[in-house]
Amino acid sequence: MTPRLRRRTGFEIELMAPPGVSRRTLAMDLAGRCGGSVRPVWHHDSEPSLVPGLGRFLHLTQGFEVRRPDGTPLCTLVDDITLLAGLDPKAPPLPGWFRVLTDDSRLLRLLARHSDPGGTIGTALDGVAALWGSPVQRHGIVYRLNDAADATIALAAPLGGERERPCEIVTPPLTGDHSAALEELLAPARELGFTVPHEAAVHLHVDGGPFRAPHALANLIRLFAYWREPLREVLRTNPACRRLAPLPGPLVEAVQGIPSYEGLRAAATAGELTKYFDVNLTQLLTDTPVRDTVEIRILPGAISAGPIVDQAALVELLLDRCLDPAPIPPGNDVEGLLELAAEALAARP
């Protein structure tokens, strides 16, 4: 019998809309079913740059927040640039779809504050242009804002290549009947023809507070470092999923003894820890978390609630084991991993 999921858990579920359908379509459908509303929002992300000397572009793409009639959040639907298979990169932009690009995270936050994701590409840079006192220039289909020294501040460009089709469903923290809550989102997606993308994953977010204790954080690192291959086998991690990696060496070395929280933070810095590992620990290792969670990133894609909740319940047991002061031992087999989960299940009230 699969244990019940008990933790407050948020989910990020990557889907792909069929041609002619978009994440906006799903947002309007979900809002219509519950009598709620849709609000355009900006989604922050980054992508490799083709400009020599510029490693990456930071960009804002259009997402959609769906709320119930009482104003409580149902979900947010956003792009995910790792989803590429099946898209036509030469497809022309659809009317109303655009993105805003810059190369500085501070500028990106300023642009998000002064630009309307529900507006038009022609007005996307006007708010920031007023702050700089510079005119927005148009070059064909691209709008550009330069400063007084003619250095580019930001661009607004049409969103082509069928980028309206990728759809990551981001739920608020769910506290009970996770299956029903997810099916409320996934059943309409299935009816509209959404599918599981080739590169898909499901991400779990659980409250980070309990894992800030040094022994719990160390065990979390041990779990995902020492048991990496059994975890990926049991959870059936998608080999095509991008932005996954084993935890950095300095961080793994730091948990071989009894580390302090400060020692783990130093090791994370030395290992250049980012969110793009099998487990995202970045919010635990800062005094100013944006979203105070542990993010588990190795679950495979799915479009039905059952498999997602079953796998999340297994992960939850392993997270329970991380809270035990006893160090998680090394291991490399599925049977040993399931024994760790069984220990945690047996210890539940």
Side-chain angles (χ1 to χ4, degrees), residues 43-81:
H43 175 58
H44 300 229
D45 210 334
S46 64
E47 63 185 271
S49 168
L50 300 179
V51 178
L54 181 62
R56 62 174 183 163
F57 271 124
L58 305 176
H59 66 228
L60 302 172
T61 54
Q62 293 156 296
F64 304 92
E65 179 186 82
V66 184
R67 290 189 173 268
R68 299 184 186 277
D70 63 1
T72 57
L74 177 65
C75 67
T76 304
L77 310 179
V78 298
D79 191 5
D80 187 311
I81 64 166

Side-chain angles (χ1 to χ4, degrees), residues 228-271:
R228 185 174 194 248
E229 293 309 319
L231 276 168
R232 295 168 74 87
E233 182 176 348
V234 167
L235 297 175
R236 300 190 297 279
T237 302
N238 181 2
C241 182
R242 305 179 184 194
R243 290 179 165 179
L244 294 179
L247 290 171
L251 194 58
V252 178
E253 293 171 9
V255 300
Q256 293 177 6
I258 303 177
S260 65
Y261 180 75
E262 292 72 20
L264 293 173
R265 285 182 65 163
T269 300

Side-chain angles (χ1 to χ4, degrees), residues 7-57:
R7 260 191 181 83
R8 214 169 75 113
T9 307
F11 297 83
E12 297 172 354
I13 304 169
E14 296 170 351
L15 301 178
M16 183 67 75
V21 177
S22 71
R23 52 187 176 273
R24 180 190 283 123
T25 311
L26 179 56
M28 298 302 294
D29 185 274
L30 292 171
R33 289 173 186 251
C34 72
S37 60
V38 175
R39 182 175 71 94
V41 295
W42 284 125
H43 175 58
H44 300 229
D45 210 334
S46 64
E47 63 185 271
S49 168
L50 300 179
V51 178
L54 181 62
R56 62 174 183 163
F57 271 124

Side-chain angles (χ1 to χ4, degrees), residues 270-315:
E272 299 181 346
L273 185 72
T274 70
K275 65 177 288 185
Y276 300 119
F277 290 84
D278 292 353
V279 58
N280 175 11
L281 304 174
T282 58
Q283 301 301 295
L284 302 182
L285 294 161
T286 176
D287 295 326
T288 56
V290 175
R291 187 177 183 182
D292 194 6
T293 65
V294 176
E295 179 190 13
I296 293 86
R297 300 170 53 82
I298 58 173
L299 274 67
I303 197 169
S304 297
I308 296 173
V309 174
D310 287 349
Q311 291 183 324
L314 173 60
V315 170

Side-chain angles (χ1 to χ4, degrees), residues 223 227 230-231 234 314 318 333-342:
L223 174 65
W227 297 87
L231 276 168
V234 167
L314 173 60
L318 294 168
D333 62 293
V334 168
E335 183 178 352
L337 181 69
L338 296 179
E339 286 178 1
L340 289 176

Side-chain angles (χ1 to χ4, degrees), residues 23 41-50 56-63 79 81 84 89 93-94 96-102 108 111 115-117 119-125 141-144 154-161 163-164:
R23 52 187 176 273
V41 295
W42 284 125
H43 175 58
H44 300 229
D45 210 334
S46 64
E47 63 185 271
S49 168
L50 300 179
R56 62 174 183 163
F57 271 124
L58 305 176
H59 66 228
L60 302 172
T61 54
Q62 293 156 296
D79 191 5
I81 64 166
L84 297 170
L94 296 181
W97 288 90
F98 64 95
R99 59 181 177 163
V100 175
L101 304 99
T102 188
L108 193 74
L111 287 159
S115 184
D116 180 7
T120 66
I121 185 173
T123 61
L125 302 179
I141 59 174
V142 175
Y143 292 79
R144 185 171 72 189
L155 304 172
L159 187 71
R163 290 308 313 175
E164 73 282 354

